[in-house]
Structures are given as structure tokens and as C-alpha cells.
């Protein structure tokens, strides 16, 4: 069993370098399936979700070569297989991008339903609605989603998304780049990773307009050819470290960021009394005084990101006054609250609303990460708490944060990884 042990209460000081964006990488890597030639993808984060998606491509027959720590060459020219193995696909949410990419490349795909964090229902009906509108037949059975373009090639069309969905927007984009004619996605998601995927595809020869607005137009082209592309910095990783500084106090320069992508997070931290200074590709975050209450509602971009909801909750727990947090994207993203309560947090949850009564101090406790961002929020709570916090199930955190322990230790946090094989045996026997 691997756990993180944190002795809290130490202010942070120094610099943290942000890695490439997880949610861009897990879409751009499958997008290489559409490219005839070698895609050199730079600024790839070293996280287990990326390893999983690269393993799937290799299993399909892609040639994947590591160039250096953050760069891989992916060549999918010789792939002939459109069936994704179940055990690999279930590890991650983003395996659904293989449906759009394989449909675009071969006109057919066999992909198991995706895994990922548990926030209540996570339907993919809007993805399927898009594929069907583009002329594919889609059936689910035998543990697989079977999709096949009726004429062997996807057909451009107009798709109106009933819900703003990041995954459906990007998946339909993948299915459309090599389709016949023009696809128009209305009510599209505008997240930075949607724009990054469009930029990647355009740099390989696609014709996509409007990414970053709510109408995206994709004119199908005959072929994409290889090239070099660098993934954007991770908005949520940067926001997580900004929240860590807010929690622990101190001053940290967070480097390799796009400050524009962080504005929604910066605005809330400023309201809470945290100082944030934007630089060209960095933000300087400082907190010396008390944190003050605020209300937060999560929304699709450019609203406050749902993937920062547990981290902001961690700092609202120690802010003066009562804050109201409203989850506007997922049905059930408060599963971490019981763990925070073990640390002395005062939180009441009613459906999508959490009311947080700030306390003077959290106290260290033994807690379990229940998903990726909740796990990161527990690390933040541990940094702010007095005493020792032990966090189990950290594999959730390592799905999306590269070297979180090293990065935090580098700015003075007292955090270490502890592996206890004895406990692992006990846990299995128990
Ligand atoms: N939805 C539907 N039908 C669909 C698709 C979505 O009803 O076909 C609903 C969902 O249930 C949810 C809302 O629409 O209520 C938004 O879901 P979306 O499709 O945008 O989420 P996703 O693509 O499954 C991605 C990120 C999540 C992030 C959300 C929202 C990846 C791999 N995952 O998920 O990231 O929370 O967008 O921004 O990109 C994370 O990184 O920790 C994470 C969970």
C-alpha cells in the first residue's frame, strides 16, 4: 500500500513547474490515429492516464517511441486493428476518444465503455448522438460499444449538443476531421483542451474553425500528415498548486502556465484574500493573512472548473465565515466530504450544494483518496492541517499529477511517500 504522509502547517516557498495538460494529452494521443506519419508530441505529462492511453495505442499496433522525458513519437500508419482491449480501456475515462478517432480512421470502432472517476452517472449519449448523426450505427453489447459508419466513412452534418460536454465535443471533432463534407458542432465546450486538440489537428492538416467558441466547424480533409506539436500547460494542476499555497501560506512562483486559462481560479483566490500576480507564463501566488469566505459555482469554461471544486473546498474549510459551494457539472462530486470531516471540517451537503463553515484549523487524520481531484484536495488539506495526515489510495492522484510529492517537497512541504508491504498483505487478507 502506498500512502502520502504529510506534516502540515509549513508555509511554501520557491518555484513549481507545471506539466502538460492531462485532459489535452489524453485526447491528442488518440488523435494520432488519424495521422498518416509520425506525430512528435511534446510536453506530455508523466502520469498513469497517459501511460494507459499510450499502452492502448501500442496494443492496437502503433509504433510509440520515447524521445525524452516529455516527448514521444507516435506513428499509427500501420495500424489495422479497430478493437480496443477491455482491461486497458476500463482504466481511464478518455478511452472514449478512441471511438471518434477509430471511426474517423477506419469507419468502425469496437471500444469498451470508459472507466474513470465516479461522480454518479457519466453517460456518453451526446457522443453517440453525434456519431449517429454523422451516419454511424452504434450498438452496445458484450461489454463493448460497436460503431460502424454506414458507408464506410463518416459524413459531415450539424450536431447540436443538448449539454455542454467536453468529451462529446472532442470526440465528434475526431470523427469529423476525415469525414466527407462539413460538420458543425453547436453548443460546443470551450475548455482550453478543446482548443488544444483543434490546434493539434490543424497543425497536422485538418480544417477546424471556431474552437474556443460554442460553434465549431470542421471541414473534412482527405489526409492528415505527421508533424510536431507541444501540449498546453495543465490548467488544473496549476490551480491545484495555487490552492496549495493558499492553504499552507507562503509565496510560490508557478511556472509554465497560461495565465488566461487560470483567470477563473485567480478571481476566486483574490476574493479570498490570496495575492496572485500574473506574469507572461507564470503566476506568483502569496498568502500571508487570513482567508475569507466566498461562494463558488462550478460551470463549463470559462466558468470555475469542476475539476477544481474539491481543492477550493479544502481552502474554504479554513476560511473565515460560511461559504456556499455549488457543483454545476456533476451529480455527485462530494464523496470526499466525509474524509474532510475526519480532519475537523464543518461541511453540510444537500444535493449539489455544500455549505462550508470555516474552522480555525484542520487537524491531521488518516484518510483515503476517493478520486483524482478529491485526492489532490486531501493533500492540500493535509498541508494546511496541524499534525500528521496520511492519505491512502494515492494511485487516484497519480493518474493526473506528475511528481506531486517531489514538486511540493521542492517548495518546502513536509510530504513523503511511504510504501508498507506488510499493510498491503493485511489489507488483502482483511
Ligand atoms: N454528459 C451527458 N451526456 C454525455 C456527456 C456528458 O449527460 O454524453 C453530462 C455529464 O454527465 C456531466 C456534463 O455533461 O454532467 C459534462 O460532462 P463532460 O462530457 O464535459 O465530461 P467528460 O468529458 O466526461 C471531462 C474531463 C473531466 C471534467 C469534465 C468537465 C477528461 C478525460 N475528463 O470529462 O475531468 O470533469 O470534462 O470539465 O477530459 C478530471 O480531470 O479530474 C476530470 C474528471
Amino acid at each position: 500500500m502506498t500512502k502520502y504522509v504529510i506534516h502540515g502547517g509549513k508555509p511554501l516557498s520557491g518555484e513549481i513547474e507545471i506539466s502538460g495538460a492531462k485532459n489535452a494529452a489524453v485526447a491528442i494521443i488518440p488523435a494520432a490515429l488519424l495521422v498518416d506519419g509520425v506525430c512528435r508530441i511534446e510536453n506530455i505529462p508523466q502520469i498513469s492516464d497517459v501511460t494507459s492511453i499510450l499502452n492502448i495505442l501500442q496494443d492496437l499496433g502503433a509504433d510509440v517511441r520515447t524521445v525524452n522525458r516529455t516527448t514521444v513519437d507516435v506513428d499509427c500508419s500501420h495500424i489495422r486493428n479497430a478493437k480496443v482491449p477491455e482491461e486497458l480501456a476500463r482504466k481511464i475515462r478518455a478511452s472514449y476518444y478512441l471511438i471518434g478517432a477509430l471511426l474517423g480512421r477506419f469507419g468502425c470502432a469496437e471500444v469498451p465503455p470508459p472507466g474513470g472517476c465516479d461522480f454518479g452517472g457519466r453517460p456518453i449519449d451526446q457522443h453517440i448522438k453525434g456519431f449517429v448523426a454523422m451516419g454511424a450505427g452504434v450498438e452496445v453489447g458484450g461489454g463493448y460499444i460497436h460503431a460502424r459508419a454506414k458507408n464506410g466513412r463518416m459524413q459531415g452534418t450539424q450536431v447540436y449538443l443538448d449539454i455542454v460536454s467536453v468529451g462529446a465535443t472532442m470526440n465528434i471533432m475526431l470523427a469529423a476531421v476525415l469525414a466527407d463534407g462539413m460538420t458543425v458542432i453547436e453548443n460546443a465546450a470551450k475548455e482550453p483542451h478543446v482548443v488544444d486538440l483543434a490546434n493539434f489537428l490543424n497543425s497536422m492538416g485538418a480544417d477546424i474553425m471556431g474552437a474556443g467558441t460554442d460553434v465549431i466547424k470542421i471541414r473534412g480533409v482527405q489526409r492528415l500528415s505527421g508533424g510536431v506539436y507541444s501540449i498546453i500547460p495543465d490548467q488544473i494542476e496549476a490551480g491545484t498548486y495555487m490552492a496549495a499555497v493558499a492553504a499552507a501560506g507562503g509565496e510560490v512562483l508557478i511556472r509554465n502556465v497560461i495565465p488566461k486559462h487560470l483567470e477563473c481560479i485567480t478571481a476566486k483566490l483574490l476574493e479570498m484574500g490570496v495575492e496572485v500576480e500574473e506574469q507572461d507564463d507564470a503566476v506568483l501566488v502569496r498568502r500571508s493573512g487570513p482567508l475569507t469566505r466566498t461562494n463558488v459555482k462550478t460551470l463549463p469554461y470559462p466558468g470555475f472548473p469542476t475539476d477544481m471544486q474539491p481543492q477550493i473546498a479544502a481552502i474554504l474549510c479554513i476560511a473565515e465565515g460560511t461559504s456556499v459551494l455549488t457543483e454545476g457539472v456533476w451529480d455527485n462530486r462530494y464523496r470526499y466530504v466525509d474524509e474532510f470531516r475526519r480532519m475537523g471540517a464543518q461541511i453540510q451537503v444537500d444535493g449539489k450544494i455544500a455549505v462550508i463553515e470555516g474552522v480555525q484549523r484542520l487537524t491531521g487524520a488518516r484518510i483515503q483518496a476517493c478520486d483524482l481531484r478529491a485526492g489532490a484536495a486531501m493533500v492540500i488539506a493535509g498541508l494546511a492541517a496541524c499534525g500528521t495526515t496520511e492519505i491512502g489510495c494515492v494511485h487516484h492522484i497519480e493518474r493526473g499529477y506528475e511528481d506531486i510529492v517531489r514538486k511540493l517537497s521542492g517548495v518546502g512541504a513536509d510530504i513523503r511517500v511511504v510504501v508498507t508491504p506488510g499493510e498491503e498483505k493485511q489489507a488483502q487478507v482483511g
Side-chain angles (χ1 to χ4, degrees), residues 79-102:
I79 289 186
R80 297 284 170 265
N81 179 11
K83 182 166 182 175
V84 174
E86 197 170 355
E87 63 286 2
L88 292 178
R90 288 176 79 98
K91 287 190 180 166
I92 50 168
R93 187 77 196 151
S95 52
Y96 54 36
Y97 291 128
L98 293 153
I99 312 174
L102 288 167

Side-chain angles (χ1 to χ4, degrees), residues 350-361:
D350 185 4
K352 292 187 163 192
I353 294 176
V355 178
I356 304 177
E357 196 83 49
V359 294
Q360 281 257 312
R361 264 236 171 273

Side-chain angles (χ1 to χ4, degrees), residues 14 18 46 60 68 94 128 131 134 183 216 228 235 254 259 273 284 309 311 327 331 409:
I18 297 305
Q46 285 201 317
L60 289 173
N68 60 42
I128 292 173
F131 300 144
M134 297 176 75
T183 303
I216 302 179
V228 181
Q235 173 206 29
I254 300 175
L284 182 67
Q309 184 254 90
Q311 301 92 312
E327 173 55 45
D331 287 339
S409 308

Side-chain angles (χ1 to χ4, degrees), residues 22-24 26 49 93-94 96-97 117 119 121-128 163-168 170 189 191 193 236 300 306-307 328-331 333 352 371-373 399:
K22 167 181 98 73
N23 289 345
V26 295
D49 268 17
R93 187 77 196 151
Y96 54 36
Y97 291 128
C117 299
F119 312 137
R122 293 189 72 174
I124 59 163
D125 57 300
Q126 298 301 307
H127 305 228
I128 292 173
I163 290 175
V164 179
S165 160
V166 171
M170 305 225 266
E191 268 67 3
H193 31 292
I236 304 299
T306 174
D307 293 343
V329 177
W330 297 109
D331 287 339
R333 205 171 189 171
K352 292 187 163 192
D371 65 56
L372 167 60
R373 307 302 173 187
R399 282 187 41 222

